[in-house]
Amino acid sequence: MTKITFLLCLLALIVVATAFRRNVMQHREKRDAVLIRSKRRWVLSTIDIEENMEGPFPFKVTQMFNDKDTEHKIKFLIKGEGVTIEPFGLFTMDTITGDVFIHRAVDREVKQVYHLDFDVLDWNTGDVVDKTLSFNVEIHDKNDNPPKFSVSTVHGVFPENAKDGTVLATLQAHDNDLQNTPNSKFNMTLASQEPALPKIVLQTLTSSTSLYQLSLKGCFDYDKAKNYKVLVTAQDQGTPSLTSTATVTLDIGDSNTHPPIFTAAKYNTEVMEMEFNKEILRLGVTDKDTPNTPASRAVFTILKGNEGANYKIETDPKTNEGVLYVIKGKNFEKTEITVLEISVKNEEKLFKCVDGRPVTDFNPPPNTVKVEVKVIDVNDPPVFKKDVEFIYRPENTSPGDLLFTPEVKDEDTDVANIRYELVSETDPAKWVTVDPKSGKITTVKKMDRESTHVINDTYTVVIHAIDDGVPQGRGTCTVVIYLGDLNDNAPYLLTKTAVLCGNTVDRVNLETADIDKPPFAGPFSFSLMEEKELKDLWKFDPTTGHSTSLISLKRLPHGNYSIPLKIQDQQGLAAEEVFNVVVCDCEGENVCRGRQGWSSRLDSLGIGLIFTGILLLALLLLCCLRCENRNKTFQLIPLNLQDEGNQTLIKYNEEGGGSVNKPEPFTAGNAGGMKIALAPAEHMIDGFRKSERGSVRSPIRYSSKRFYEVYNDGDVMSIPHHSRSMVRTNTVRSGVSQLSRSYSSRSDKNLADHIDRRLFGLPEDLSDYPESLPCQYECEGNESDCESLAVSQLTDSNLGDNLDFLQDLGPKFNTLGGICQQSMTSKNVRL
């Protein structure tokens, strides 16, 4: 029992010890594994490359190691800048050995650091067996860049009189090698200067070592050197040291270092007395400075002798000479010789350099010369007291008015020998005359202020005073005559016609003017002439002013109206005008509807068209008359004209149309078929035809010879009647029934009574038809020399269709008969 227990305890102790050891071993394995990955995962060499290495290439720069090669067969992989990122192909790696190669030289100034990544892969599976290692490849600097000037060539232009210390050029350089190392630090030095004088120095501008200036020490001398060349060197402190150069060229401009000098020690000239605005002398100078520059251009000044301002001197820009002019005449009686002192200097201030330094207060006296001007005596012209005289006169003064008497003096001639002339061009209106001896100006005509020759109320004339010297002297005086205004012009209308648009306005405007000046002009007073009819139709509003409106008091018929009116100026001077107004309806502004312009007129073509229209109208009326009478049958009655020397054709009114009321045929004896309507004298009351009922039918004019209507088959014609009895024989259609002259007065009366009963006994409903009534026509006139057409003069042989009797009616009726027969023949009308 005890042994079993002991064995069990021992077994339990062994199990516990085994488990503890297993835990310890697992913990140690984990700890060892951690230490191996963090410390011995990669074995690296430092990668450090110098720029611009000479090779040969490819050049091994390092080798990579990894302890996973004990557990796996591995291979290496590289990526990053220079491999998979630009610049491509710079680095490569042996996948088996881990050797890293560079294939070409690199420039640090292009890129200073390259970033690379390395991986280790299982050779068989290609799986990554370790973490990626990243590191930088740094490029070491090498002194391969010399200092470089920002501008390698500098050009400058400076005047000869540049001051000491003037900055001539500024130079700046830069080194691309690693900053703050000897490879990038440099110094500038002045390597050479041509010519050597004046000295030019180089110094830093600020504390920076990259900015330098060239400065002048001394004075330039244009006569010795016109150009300078300076060479500046920049050198760094690297090993080996590198340098670069810059060239500065300077052009020197000439300054005024030489004063101008007159070419002669003294000058002489002469001028005619009272001569002016004329060149009298040229003064030459010499100057050693560059021509046509401020350093050489001369400036002349008259220092003495010109107190009267008679002369002036100017510089000729082409020749650089001094040109002396006389600008005001010199009188010989006062001065015979004038001495002028003239100086000359340059436009630019004179410059001087003493002991290599410019003198700032250098101001030497200018070069001077004397000029003697001799005045030669000549004839002096007369001189008026005033060159311009002003005179005032009212307009319209009477001729003979003395306007002006001149005052003249002459140094050389007696005033009595001076004659006067009027410059005719200055007297276009021919208003004045000049006395040749006294010079008095007198009017010969009335001077009108409103004349076109008067400008701004002034009339100007010019007179000359001429002496008897040799050559003749001539003085001039201008006389300005101011003309005062008088009320000698009545006001007037600017426009005397107007259009009154009756459909839009009731007034027209009147504009007035007066060529007189105030107070002889407006405002004006307006009034109508003393006619009551005008004042009932028109009025002015306002009645005073410079313009007014003419107002229509009532609506006027269309037409032209002439309105007399009166216009008075402020002083009462009146003018009577006629204002024409056209009253019409307007379509536009002051344009009558359907009305032509004022300038339209009837030409020859229009007159021809009017006459053509009249002829066409007459022809149309004739055609209407012929058409109306086409179906009527006329009985031509031969006339026995005893006295052909005093015959007259008289036009009567046109016959009326046929009656709509056809009375029954009247038969008396053998008169069947003939219808006769007579109006006896007893049925005429005060010149009017009366019916049986006493009503007035139609007015009639009659005399001792009356006319009656005869109806033949409905047609009407007029014949004369001398008594109550019927005196005419008509042929009826049968041609056998006749009324003869043997009828007694009783039978005539019965026949007339029967006709009256038949005519005036019509029914009430037909009594008012004018077609049924007799019509009166124009009479032949009282006491006609022509015998009436009586039935007694007509025979049966003249009636019928035979018209041969027309050939025996006489020369005048033959013409009328021929015209009628020709017209009827052309229209195929048979009688």
Side-chain angles (χ1 to χ4, degrees):
M1 189 67 184
T2 304
K3 291 181 179 180
I4 294 173
T5 303
F6 177 76
L7 290 173
L8 290 173
C9 291
L10 182 60
L11 181 59
L13 182 60
I14 294 171
V15 171
V16 171
T18 303
F20 177 75
R21 182 178 179 181
R22 181 177 300 169
N23 290 335
V24 172
M25 292 298 294
Q26 291 179 352
H27 178 70
R28 182 177 298 173
E29 289 178 356
K30 291 180 180 180
R31 184 190 62 186
D32 293 342
V34 171
L35 292 177
I36 291 173
R37 289 183 182 275
S38 60
K39 292 183 179 180
R40 299 187 61 193
R41 184 180 54 172
W42 289 98
V43 179
L44 299 176
S45 299
T46 301
I47 299 178
D48 190 6
I49 302 175
E50 188 179 44
E51 68 172 332
N52 298 327
M53 62 175 52
E54 297 180 358
F57 297 103
F59 178 78
K60 179 179 178 180
V61 295
T62 187
Q63 183 179 8
M64 306 301 296
F65 298 95
N66 189 277
D67 56 2
K68 287 295 183 178
D69 58 355
T70 59
E71 300 176 5
H72 304 274
K73 185 177 181 181
I74 63 174
K75 62 181 178 179
F76 295 94
L77 179 64
I78 186 174
K79 60 183 177 180
E81 295 178 339
V83 180
T84 58
I85 301 175
E86 290 185 352
F88 300 114
L90 181 61
F91 297 102
T92 58
M93 187 175 188
D94 191 321
T95 58
I96 299 176
T97 63
D99 292 332
V100 178
F101 297 95
I102 186 170
H103 292 264
R104 60 181 178 270
V106 293
D107 188 356
R108 189 201 66 86
E109 285 71 38
V110 176
K111 191 173 182 62
Q112 300 180 6
V113 177
Y114 295 87
H115 183 77
L116 297 173
D117 295 328
F118 296 93
D119 286 318
V120 58
L121 308 178
D122 187 279
W123 182 272
N124 296 319
T125 62
D127 296 332
V128 177
V129 297
D130 207 345
K131 292 184 177 181
T132 301
L133 176 63
S134 299
F135 61 92
N136 296 330
V137 177
E138 184 176 358
I139 309 302
H140 285 182
D141 184 35
K142 184 178 181 181
N143 190 22
D144 56 346
N145 290 284
K148 186 176 182 180
F149 287 93
S150 57
V151 179
S152 60
T153 301
V154 179
H155 179 265
V157 178
F158 295 92
E160 181 184 7
N161 58 357
K163 296 181 180 180
D164 182 54
T166 301
V167 176
L168 305 177
T170 300
L171 302 174
Q172 186 175 13
H174 177 73
D175 198 318
N176 291 329
D177 290 327
L178 184 63
Q179 297 299 311
N180 299 322
T181 64
N183 293 340
S184 63
K185 294 180 180 181
F186 61 87
N187 296 317
M188 284 190 189
T189 57
L190 197 152
S192 63
Q193 172 187 333
E194 296 179 3
L197 295 176
K199 186 177 181 181
I200 298 175
V201 296
L202 180 65
Q203 56 189 2
T204 58
L205 181 62
T206 62
S207 58
S208 173
T209 58
S210 62
L211 196 62
Y212 288 78
Q213 287 182 338
L214 287 175
S215 300
L216 174 64
K217 295 296 183 181
C219 305
F220 290 117
D221 190 343
Y222 180 81
D223 296 332
K224 295 181 179 180
K226 298 177 177 59
N227 304 98
Y228 290 83
K229 182 177 180 181
V230 180
L231 186 64
V232 179
T233 302
Q235 183 176 8
D236 63 22
Q237 301 176 7
T239 303
S241 179
L242 300 177
T243 61
S244 63
T245 60
T247 302
V248 179
T249 58
L250 304 175
D251 292 335
I252 309 303
D254 190 17
S255 297
N256 186 21
T257 56
H258 304 280
I261 299 175
F262 285 102
T263 57
K266 186 178 180 180
Y267 293 91
N268 295 278
T269 186
E270 60 183 23
V271 61
M272 304 299 292
E273 180 187 10
M274 303 306 297
E275 197 172 28
F276 60 94
N277 291 335
K278 181 181 179 182
E279 175 187 330
I280 61 175
L281 181 65
R282 283 182 171 261
L283 292 79
V285 294
T286 59
D287 198 316
K288 296 181 180 180
D289 293 316
T290 304
N292 298 321
T293 63
S296 64
R297 282 195 287 266
V299 178
F300 297 89
T301 305
I302 301 177
L303 301 178
K304 297 178 183 180
N306 194 29
E307 288 76 10
N310 299 95
Y311 307 95
K312 72 173 182 179
I313 188 168
E314 295 178 348
T315 303
D316 188 332
K318 295 182 179 180
T319 63
N320 207 33
E321 293 177 316
V323 183
L324 184 63
Y325 295 90
V326 56
I327 59 176
K328 187 167 65 174
K330 195 73 173 177
N331 197 323
F332 174 78
E333 285 72 18
K334 292 183 178 180
T335 306
E336 181 178 359
I337 295 178
T338 301
V339 178
L340 303 178
E341 185 177 350
I342 300 176
S343 66
V344 62
K345 61 180 180 180
N346 295 124
E347 292 181 0
E348 185 179 293
K349 186 178 179 181
L350 193 64
F351 170 77
K352 186 176 182 180
C353 186
V354 179
D355 298 332
R357 301 287 179 180
V359 178
T360 57
D361 57 350
F362 181 67
N363 190 19
N367 189 16
T368 61
V369 69
K370 290 184 178 182
V371 178
E372 290 187 358
V373 181
K374 183 179 180 181
V375 180
I376 300 175
D377 185 25
V378 294
N379 181 33
D380 296 324
V383 178
F384 286 89
K385 183 178 180 180
K386 294 182 180 179
D387 294 336
V388 181
E389 294 284 351
F390 298 94
I391 302 172
Y392 174 81
R393 286 292 188 278
E395 65 173 333
N396 297 330
T397 55
S398 300
D401 181 23
L402 178 60
L403 299 178
F404 172 67
T405 301
E407 296 183 18
V408 177
K409 61 180 180 178
D410 194 326
E411 298 289 345
D412 302 322
T413 306
D414 189 356
V415 176
N417 296 328
I418 296 176
R419 60 184 177 88
Y420 299 88
E421 289 182 355
L422 175 67
V423 180
S424 59
E425 292 81 3
T426 62
D427 183 25
K430 308 301 180 182
W431 285 347
V432 299
T433 183
V434 174
D435 188 328
K437 293 184 177 181
S438 63
K440 294 180 179 181
I441 301 177
T442 309
T443 61
V444 295
K445 295 180 182 179
K446 289 184 178 181
M447 294 186 292
D448 186 6
R449 189 195 66 86
E450 289 75 31
S451 171
T452 56
H453 303 295
V454 176
I455 301 174
N456 296 330
D457 298 340
T458 62
Y459 187 73
T460 303
V461 295
V462 178
I463 60 173
H464 286 161
I466 306 173
D467 62 18
D468 57 354
V470 179
Q472 289 182 339
R474 184 186 299 267
T476 302
C477 180
T478 302
V479 181
V480 181
I481 306 170
Y482 282 89
L483 295 176
D485 190 22
L486 296 177
N487 193 18
D488 57 341
N489 294 279
Y492 61 93
L493 291 174
L494 293 177
T495 303
K496 295 186 178 182
T497 59
V499 176
L500 175 60
C501 298
N503 58 335
T504 58
V505 296
D506 63 346
R507 65 191 62 200
V508 292
N509 295 327
L510 281 78
E511 298 291 337
T512 58
D514 194 329
I515 60 177
D516 289 327
K517 293 174 60 177
F520 305 116
F524 308 105
S525 299
F526 305 93
S527 61
L528 296 170
M529 303 297 287
E530 295 298 330
E531 295 184 15
K532 186 176 183 305
E533 295 180 357
L534 289 177
K535 295 182 179 179
D536 293 338
L537 298 178
W538 306 91
K539 74 171 184 178
F540 286 110
D541 185 21
T543 58
T544 60
H546 291 278
S547 61
T548 185
S549 295
L550 182 63
I551 302 175
S552 172
L553 298 178
K554 57 182 68 175
R555 187 171 181 83
L556 300 174
H558 293 179
N560 299 327
Y561 295 84
S562 296
I563 303 165
L565 52 90
K566 181 186 292 185
I567 309 172
Q568 288 182 318
D569 61 18
Q570 194 172 356
Q571 303 300 324
L573 184 60
E576 295 182 359
E577 298 273 6
V578 176
F579 190 68
N580 298 309
V581 180
V582 179
V583 180
C584 63
D585 289 343
C586 297
E587 293 180 347
E589 183 178 358
N590 297 333
V591 178
C592 288
R593 184 178 301 156
R595 173 176 171 270
Q596 294 182 350
W598 291 100
S599 61
S600 64
R601 59 186 180 89
L602 194 64
D603 56 5
S604 59
L605 180 59
I607 296 175
L609 291 177
I610 291 176
F611 278 106
T612 303
I614 293 174
L615 294 176
L616 290 177
L617 180 61
L619 182 61
L620 180 61
L621 293 175
L622 180 60
C623 291
C624 292
L625 180 61
R626 297 298 300 271
C627 291
E628 182 179 357
N629 297 329
R630 177 177 297 177
N631 297 324
K632 294 183 180 180
T633 302
F634 293 90
Q635 296 288 342
L636 298 178
I637 302 175
L639 301 177
N640 185 14
L641 302 177
Q642 300 297 332
D643 186 7
E644 294 183 357
N646 192 20
Q647 300 183 36
T648 304
L649 290 178
I650 301 178
K651 175 182 178 293
Y652 302 102
N653 284 345
E654 189 181 26
E655 297 175 350
S659 173
V660 295
N661 303 312
K662 303 297 182 179
E664 296 179 4
F666 168 73
T667 58
N670 293 329
M674 181 179 69
K675 305 170 190 164
I676 302 175
L678 297 176
E682 59 266 22
H683 292 285
M684 304 301 172
I685 301 176
D686 297 331
F688 290 84
R689 183 181 293 115
K690 185 182 77 171
S691 68
E692 291 179 353
R693 300 177 189 147
S695 61
V696 177
R697 293 298 180 182
S698 61
I700 182 170
R701 296 171 59 191
Y702 62 91
S703 63
S704 61
K705 299 179 181 179
R706 296 180 174 85
F707 293 82
Y708 295 89
E709 294 178 348
V710 178
Y711 293 85
N712 183 12
D713 289 340
D715 295 332
V716 181
M717 66 184 300
S718 299
I719 62 175
H721 186 272
H722 294 279
S723 65
R724 294 181 58 193
S725 63
M726 182 170 171
V727 294
R728 178 184 172 182
T729 301
N730 279 348
T731 302
V732 296
R733 282 172 289 189
S734 63
V736 297
S737 297
Q738 297 180 353
L739 292 177
S740 66
R741 298 178 58 186
S742 63
Y743 280 1
S744 63
S745 59
R746 179 178 179 84
S747 61
D748 291 341
K749 180 178 180 181
N750 292 335
L751 180 60
D753 292 341
H754 178 75
I755 293 173
D756 289 342
R757 286 193 301 270
R758 299 295 294 176
L759 178 62
F760 298 105
L762 296 176
E764 181 68 24
D765 56 346
L766 298 177
S767 61
D768 292 331
Y769 276 83
E771 292 85 355
S772 303
L773 300 178
C775 298
Q776 180 253 341
Y777 301 97
E778 294 293 339
C779 66
E780 292 178 337
N782 295 330
E783 300 178 357
S784 173
D785 295 335
C786 299
E787 186 177 355
S788 300
L789 297 177
V791 177
S792 61
Q793 296 170 317
L794 303 175
T795 63
D796 294 340
S797 63
N798 294 330
L799 303 175
D801 297 331
N802 188 5
L803 302 178
D804 294 337
F805 68 91
L806 294 174
Q807 304 298 327
D808 300 329
L809 295 180
K812 295 184 179 180
F813 279 91
N814 285 340
T815 303
L816 177 62
I819 294 174
C820 296
Q821 187 174 7
Q822 181 182 2
S823 176
M824 289 186 291
T825 302
S826 63
K827 296 184 178 181
N828 197 19
V829 176
R830 294 180 61 84
L831 296 178

